[in-house]
Amino acid sequence: MVPTAADCVVKTQDIIVRPETAGDVKAIDVVNLSAFEGEAEARLVETMRRLPGFAPELSLVAELNGRIVGHVLLTRVPLQQEGGRATRVLALGPMSVVPSQSHRGIGSALIRAAIDQARKLGFGAIVVAGHPEYYRRLGFEPAAGRALGSNLRVAEDALTVLELQAGTLHGGGRVVYPDPFARIF
Ligand SMILES: CC(C)(COP(=O)(O)OP(=O)(O)OC[C@H]1O[C@@H](n2cnc3c(N)ncnc32)[C@H](O)[C@@H]1OP(=O)(O)O)[C@@H](O)C(=O)NCCC(=O)NCCS
């Protein structure tokens, strides 16, 4: 069963993390535009939202006093493994927190909520292409250490992974991000 919005609310002090709703779309765009240099990530989120596989429960917002101050997108991606096997895992990102609210744990709360949500939805692993030290603090490990790569043109150490179900990453493999990601990264 797919969890509803109410199933996935995480509260850290005064921060609420919950799935996006239709009314959040503009605010999410503003958050992404303010956090990243340029528009690429904001447009990527918009593009992914329009694709058939998009599910609001995989797009989480952080709300502070009724205002959206952070966002993280999760995307189902195939992990191609030996013997032609393909396992669905989740790719985390883009993730953003408005600069005025950074360094108060909102990014970490978003990642913890994303991990909880991935577990609830039954995914075996989460991969991230991003600042490796940031994600390592939250349990992610270097993907290269698990013989995992991807179709993105990012530095090898930028890819980190968190196994949620033992054995999911056994034998390594290649994570294939959808074209809108591969065009940017
Ligand atoms: C990265 C980002 C999401 C962090 O959000 P946040 O709410 O400030 O994160 P938290 O408060 O949970 O954690 C802050 C800690 O993360 C670490 N951190 C933050 N940015 C980091 C980076 N770019 N690389 C490594 N570590 C980083 C620091 O240790 C920081 O600790 P400090 O507050 O003692 O300085 C936010 O700064 C952001 O939106 N940045 C611009 C967009 C971006 O780079 N997104 C991530 C793409 S992978």
Side-chain angles (χ1 to χ4, degrees):
M1 195 178 75
V2 176
T4 64
D7 290 325
C8 154
V9 172
V10 171
K11 263 186 135 173
T12 304
Q13 294 164 352
D14 43 2
I15 300 157
I16 295 172
V17 178
R18 58 166 177 79
E20 74 165 51
T21 64
D24 298 325
V25 168
K26 179 70 194 153
I28 292 171
D29 198 47
V30 170
V31 169
N32 280 306
L33 288 172
S34 71
F36 290 100
E37 283 175 31
E39 292 193 356
E41 286 82 0
R43 299 291 76 82
L44 174 61
V45 169
E46 212 173 58
T47 301
M48 295 309 296
R49 189 182 285 115
R50 277 195 246 110
L51 293 182
F54 177 79
E57 60 269 17
L58 295 180
S59 176
L60 305 180
V61 293
E63 199 182 299
L64 178 69
N65 302 326
R67 178 180 163 229
I68 306 296
V69 292
H71 173 252
V72 64
L73 180 71
L74 294 163
T75 302
R76 297 180 185 89
V77 290
L79 165 62
Q80 294 175 343
Q81 293 172 295
E82 263 181 27
R85 278 188 305 140
T87 309
R88 287 269 158 189
V89 298
L90 285 179
L92 184 153
M95 185 177 82
S96 52
V97 172
V98 291
S100 63
Q101 299 296 336
S102 64
H103 300 284
R104 54 177 297 175
I106 297 173
S108 303
L110 276 165
I111 296 173
R112 287 195 194 96
I115 294 169
D116 284 353
Q117 186 70 323
R119 280 192 210 281
K120 278 183 199 152
L121 292 169
F123 287 92
I126 304 178
V127 291
V128 189
H131 310 298
E133 325 82 62
Y134 184 72
Y135 295 99
R136 272 181 219 169
R137 290 180 317 135
L138 292 151
F140 287 75
E141 58 181 300
R146 295 292 201 124
L148 276 173
S150 81
N151 60 329
L152 301 185
R153 288 158 295 160
V154 295
E156 184 181 274
D157 70 351
L159 202 68
T160 55
V161 66
L162 178 68
E163 190 173 59
L164 300 174
Q165 289 172 17
T168 300
L169 303 178
H170 182 74
R174 187 167 185 259
V175 176
V176 183
Y177 279 78
D179 285 347
F181 280 86
R183 276 198 289 272
I184 299 176
F185 300 110

